[in-house]
């Protein structure tokens, strides 16, 4: 079949499927372009995890025009948001074919926030063609490093377990050259940070944090961006563009207005309107359901926020997360939906990114 396809003189991708029964990674690169390495995937975390384990050790077989195929993406087919994000990240790190198994005609904004992440897709499609290797795997805490054509490395921290864990590695362990500092680009939150060599994050259960790492430096602190919600595809918005203290903060279609520009400061504030107003928990509230408003910046504890590596934003005073009210359902993600504090739950309605 290989020879017959080559004889046509036309570019044709040849996919081989024998479900990994005969160790295709040892012979298929000379025959086709991609080869199934496992049995069929199912839309559950256990199946995804098992297939990841089977495929992760086959990195040596992959290269430009030749890819291990751990079956389709189940993103949008019923796994939790963190599990969907994990599969999309892991498959991209492993240079796998990204074939959607979901009906995209009815996919949610949360699902599209994963499928349309061009930075993660760029890791999968990188011209160097290398599959990530596991540089650490202990106790269900996995670190994958994928060399990239620009000299950088994509580093994926994966927590297989059922509770949040801190996962750490170093630029040296990931294969990067010695440097005085490294720029870390979080591929899901879009936040830039600088490290002297350590790469570490608190990773949710069944979740990932994914960085693009290169020598250099960078910081998102003090820069202004819209905050994009994963569950809605909409932006954090000051209602009616009003600068009046106490105005509600809600969701609205992203429009580039000054009432949608937010800046994390070195003091932990989230400033808007050119830095004149701050995101504020109403009346110093620390309970679930406390509404978010703007208020003149005062340095108070209820105006202190932290953008976490998983995309959640935590109130320092309350320990609760910035949440789209009722955003776990489509009706809760419409224009005008208020933002509030709520217990952190790793849901898409608590996942945010810095919009370019």
């Amino acid at each position: 079949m290989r020879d017959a396809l080559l004889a046509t003189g036309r570019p044709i991708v040849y996919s081989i499927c024998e479900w990994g029964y005969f160790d295709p990674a040892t012979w298929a690169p000379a025959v086709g372009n991609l080869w199934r390495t496992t049995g069929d995937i199912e839309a559950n975390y256990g199946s995804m995890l098992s297939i990841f384990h089977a495929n992760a050790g086959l990195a040596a077989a992959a290269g430009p025009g030749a890819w291990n195929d751990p079956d389709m993406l189940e993103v949008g087919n019923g796994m939790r948001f963190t599990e969907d994000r994990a599969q999309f990240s892991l498959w991209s790190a492993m240079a796998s074919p990204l074939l959607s198994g979901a009906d995209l005609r009815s996919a949610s904004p949360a699902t599209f926030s994963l499928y349309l992440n061009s930075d993660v897709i760029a890791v999968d499609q990188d011209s160097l063609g290398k599959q990530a290797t596991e540089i650490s795997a202990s106790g269900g805490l996995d670190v994958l490093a994928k060399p990239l054509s620009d000299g950088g490395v994509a580093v994926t921290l994966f927590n297989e377990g059922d509770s949040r864990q801190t996962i750490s590695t170093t630029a040296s362990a990931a294969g990067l050259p010695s440097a005085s500092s490294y720029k870390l680009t979080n591929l899901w939150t879009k936040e830039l940070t600088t490290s002297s060599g350590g790469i570490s994050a608190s990773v949710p259960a069944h979740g990932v944090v994914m960085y693009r790492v290169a020598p250099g430096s960078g910081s998102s602190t003090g820069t202004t961006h819209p905050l994009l919600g994963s569950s809605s595809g909409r932006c954090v918005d000051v209602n009616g563009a009003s600068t009046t203290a106490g105005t509600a903060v809600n969701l609205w279609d992203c429009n580039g207005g000054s009432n949608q520009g937010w800046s994390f400061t070195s003091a932990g504030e989230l400033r808007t309107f050119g830095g004149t107003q701050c995101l504020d928990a109403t009346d110093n509230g620390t309970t679930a359901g406390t509404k978010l408003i703007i208020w003149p910046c005062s340095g108070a504890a209820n105006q202190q926020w932290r953008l976490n590596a998983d995309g959640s934003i935590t109130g320092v005073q309350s320990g609760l997360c910035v949440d789209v009210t009722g955003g776990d359902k489509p009706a809760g993600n419409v224009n005008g939906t208020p933002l509030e504090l709520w217990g952190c739950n790793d849901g898409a309605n608590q996942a945010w990114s810095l919009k370019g």
Side-chain angles (χ1 to χ4, degrees), residues 55-354:
N55 196 75
L58 304 175
W67 314 292
N68 293 304
D69 179 6
D71 205 5
M72 65 185 177
L73 295 164
E74 292 289 3
V75 174
N77 277 343
M79 291 193 295
R80 293 168 49 205
F81 178 72
T82 49
E83 295 166 351
D84 277 350
R85 180 185 278 185
Q87 190 193 10
F88 198 83
S89 301
L90 294 169
W91 265 230
S92 294
M94 295 189 296
S96 307
L98 300 180
L99 305 175
S100 174
D103 184 348
L104 297 180
R105 296 171 299 178
S106 57
S108 68
T111 295
F112 278 118
S113 78
L114 305 177
Y115 277 120
L116 298 180
N117 188 317
S118 59
D119 292 330
V120 177
I121 293 170
V123 169
D124 177 81
Q125 299 288 299
D126 185 77
S127 61
L128 196 60
K130 290 195 174 184
Q131 176 175 327
T133 57
E134 276 192 295
I135 61 172
S136 175
S138 176
L141 306 180
D142 305 318
V143 180
L144 290 83
K146 175 180 167 64
L148 302 172
S149 58
D150 64 357
V153 176
V155 176
T156 305
L157 311 176
F158 174 39
N159 177 10
E160 299 181 15
D162 296 332
S163 62
R164 181 175 289 270
Q165 299 288 336
T166 297
I167 304 178
S168 302
T169 187
T170 65
S172 175
L176 284 149
S178 177
S180 59
S181 63
Y182 299 88
K183 181 173 77 172
L184 277 61
T185 304
N186 187 313
L187 299 187
W188 288 109
T189 70
K190 314 304 183 184
E191 183 185 25
L192 302 180
T193 54
T194 298
S195 168
S196 60
I199 303 169
S200 183
S202 175
V203 185
H206 300 184
V208 299
V209 170
M210 193 174 191
Y211 293 109
R212 191 174 185 122
V213 186
S217 61
S219 175
S220 296
T221 301
T223 63
T224 301
H225 302 266
L227 284 172
L228 183 66
S230 294
S231 67
S232 64
R234 294 187 163 93
C235 283
V236 176
D237 178 282
V238 180
N239 190 49
S242 172
T243 59
T244 302
T247 299
V249 175
N250 52 26
L251 286 181
W252 202 266
D253 292 334
C254 301
N255 56 36
S258 61
N259 63 319
Q260 293 185 354
W262 298 90
S263 175
F264 282 93
T265 71
S266 58
E269 302 156 315
L270 249 179
R271 291 183 174 244
T272 190
F273 288 123
T276 62
Q277 302 285 325
C278 275
L279 184 69
D280 181 286
T282 302
D283 294 330
N284 280 291
T286 58
T287 58
T290 298
K291 299 304 180 186
L292 301 184
I293 58 175
I294 59 166
W295 200 263
C297 300
S298 65
N302 65 322
Q303 293 183 355
Q304 305 290 311
W305 309 93
R306 182 174 56 249
L307 175 60
N308 301 307
D310 63 356
S312 59
I313 298 175
T314 308
V316 173
Q317 182 186 47
S318 66
L320 302 177
C321 279
V322 173
D323 179 283
V324 180
T325 306
D328 56 333
K329 300 178 177 60
N333 287 286
V334 298
N335 282 336
T337 303
L339 301 189
E340 63 183 4
L341 295 177
W342 201 261
C344 301
N345 56 34
D346 304 325
N349 62 317
Q350 295 183 354
W352 308 92
S353 62
L354 307 179

